[in-house]
Amino acid sequence: MCNSQRPIIFGITTGTCAAGAAKASAIYELTGKISENVIIHNLDGLEFKLKTFRYNNFFGVQKFSGDDKCDITDGIKILAHVEILRDENQKIFFIAGEGVGVVTLPGLKIPPGEPAINPVPRKMIELAIREIIPLKSVKIIISIPDGEKLAQKTFNPRLGIKGGLSILGTSGLVKPMNERALLESLTLELNMIRALGFSEIYITFANSGEKAIRKIFDISGKNIIQSGNYIGHVLDESARLNFSHAIICGHPGKLLKVAAGSFNTHNKISDGRLEALCTHLALMGASQEIISRVFHSNTTNESINIINQTGYNSVWQNLAKIIAQKCESRINNKLQVDAYFIDNDGRLL
């Protein structure tokens, strides 16, 4: 947790690091001199003074994430190797080195086949290189040791980015706003799914839900998204992108919160699971004893067992209809929504 008595410390993006490493490499290729520090600028002219180091044939900058302690790229090395080409076409060719991903699917900011280096970092890298090498064409290799391993903890595999991490950033700064970055990643994934031609989207909360959906509905395609806590955002963006049908599948531990009217299911923001369940059991005529047992159950799994034992299993169908109605109402009926509850073993309730 950040100390409230001091200012928030911003970090630098992987794009900023790549631009600094590229400039150091360009200086060395042109002059043979090793620069321990370089100055680069973002697209708004903000200046960054970066410490650089030599790493075999590459030059590098170490990533610093400031107060964003959830950033898994904090401390990694971003490396660059610049090669000056003979022609004077003044082109810059980006090459994905070790640990940098390559785009394989449409719908992202970079077309398939290109290194996953986003547009703003590309422009920052080009600005940095052109300060040193203004006229020649240049080939630049960006590399991230351990990037392929770290990428498995990101959205990249779901976005069709293979082989490593992406080089990202829009301002050059890492601001401790993790929620915004996560929402942007979810939007990117939905864009990719839509660009692949899917009009039907399957929404779940995490890995276990995705496995259940694939088994229950016999799905092998890429039109499944894990919303995490942000099911409301995923629904909003699905409607904006003109999907026609959304199928939501999840455990009562999350999905009951949606039944209670919550579209951010983080435990610090919403609950109401047992209240929603007990309300609908009461509407079905369940006894006070059953309702009390469910309400005082320690977990949703315990409440599932109680319902199974007392024969009120149809409550899940009733709640699923309520969830679908609430979701459709949120997005002004712009797409059809169906909802399904699953248990811990991935079976439909």
Side-chain angles (χ1 to χ4, degrees), residues 64-125:
F64 171 65
S65 299
D67 281 332
D68 189 351
K69 300 307 179 187
C70 295
D71 184 355
I72 65 165
T73 65
D74 186 32
I76 66 172
K77 296 177 175 65
I78 312 292
L79 309 177
H81 173 70
V82 168
E83 180 183 342
I84 303 173
L85 304 178
R86 292 183 179 180
D87 67 78
E88 296 184 3
N89 292 327
Q90 300 184 37
K91 293 183 178 180
I92 292 183
F93 300 94
F94 291 92
I95 308 295
E98 174 193 3
V100 171
V102 173
V103 177
T104 66
L105 296 173
L108 302 182
K109 296 178 181 178
I110 301 297
E114 281 287 312
I117 304 171
N118 269 13
V120 170
R122 285 178 183 241
K123 290 178 182 177
M124 287 181 65
I125 292 167

Side-chain angles (χ1 to χ4, degrees), residues 162-215:
K162 295 185 178 180
L165 292 167
S166 302
I167 303 296
L168 304 172
T170 54
S171 67
L173 290 170
V174 171
K175 302 176 183 180
M177 296 173 64
N178 299 319
E179 181 176 82
R180 179 179 175 181
L182 179 55
L183 295 180
E184 288 175 354
S185 294
L186 289 168
T187 295
L188 272 176
E189 186 170 358
L190 285 165
N191 272 311
M192 180 270 292
I193 294 169
R194 196 72 181 94
L196 288 173
F198 291 104
S199 61
E200 189 171 65
I201 184 75
Y202 290 83
I203 304 170
T204 188
F205 295 95
N207 285 325
S208 58
E210 178 169 345
K211 290 177 182 177
I213 281 181
R214 291 196 180 278
K215 183 177 179 181

Side-chain angles (χ1 to χ4, degrees), residues 45 70 113 146 156 201 225 239 276 303 337:
C70 295
D146 297 325
N156 277 16
I201 184 75
I225 188 167
S303 66
V337 178

Side-chain angles (χ1 to χ4, degrees), residues 176-343:
M177 296 173 64
N178 299 319
E179 181 176 82
R180 179 179 175 181
L182 179 55
L183 295 180
E184 288 175 354
S185 294
L186 289 168
T187 295
L188 272 176
E189 186 170 358
L190 285 165
N191 272 311
M192 180 270 292
I193 294 169
R194 196 72 181 94
L196 288 173
F198 291 104
S199 61
E200 189 171 65
I201 184 75
Y202 290 83
I203 304 170
T204 188
F205 295 95
N207 285 325
S208 58
E210 178 169 345
K211 290 177 182 177
I213 281 181
R214 291 196 180 278
K215 183 177 179 181
I216 293 166
F217 296 99
D218 192 24
I219 299 170
S220 58
K222 293 183 177 293
N223 57 329
I224 299 178
I225 188 167
Q226 295 180 18
S227 68
N229 291 311
Y230 303 103
I231 189 167
H233 175 80
V234 169
L235 284 166
D236 295 344
E237 290 295 270
S238 296
R240 182 181 67 82
L241 291 168
N242 295 317
F243 284 90
S244 61
H245 188 196
I247 297 94
I248 302 170
C249 188
H251 188 275
K254 287 287 190 181
L255 208 45
L256 280 172
K257 293 183 180 183
V258 183
S262 297
F263 290 92
N264 182 329
T265 59
H266 195 286
N267 58 14
K268 292 183 178 179
I269 294 176
S270 66
D271 200 351
R273 293 166 296 174
L274 294 176
E275 288 82 354
L277 186 52
C278 288
T279 297
H280 286 274
L281 285 170
L283 290 171
M284 292 175 66
S287 68
Q288 184 176 347
E289 179 194 358
I290 292 171
I291 294 169
S292 179
R293 286 176 62 195
V294 170
F295 186 76
H296 292 99
S297 57
N298 294 317
T299 65
T300 47
N301 285 328
E302 185 179 342
S303 66
I304 291 170
N305 291 333
I306 294 169
I307 290 167
N308 285 340
Q309 294 164 6
T310 55
Y312 281 92
N313 300 70
S314 58
V315 72
W316 304 117
Q317 280 107 337
N318 296 344
L319 282 161
K321 290 177 183 177
I322 293 296
I323 290 165
Q325 290 168 6
K326 286 183 180 291
C327 291
E328 289 176 349
S329 177
R330 177 186 172 95
I331 53 177
N332 296 317
N333 298 306
K334 290 183 178 179
L335 71 153
Q336 178 189 344
V337 178
D338 292 311
Y340 297 86
F341 285 96
I342 54 171
D343 63 17

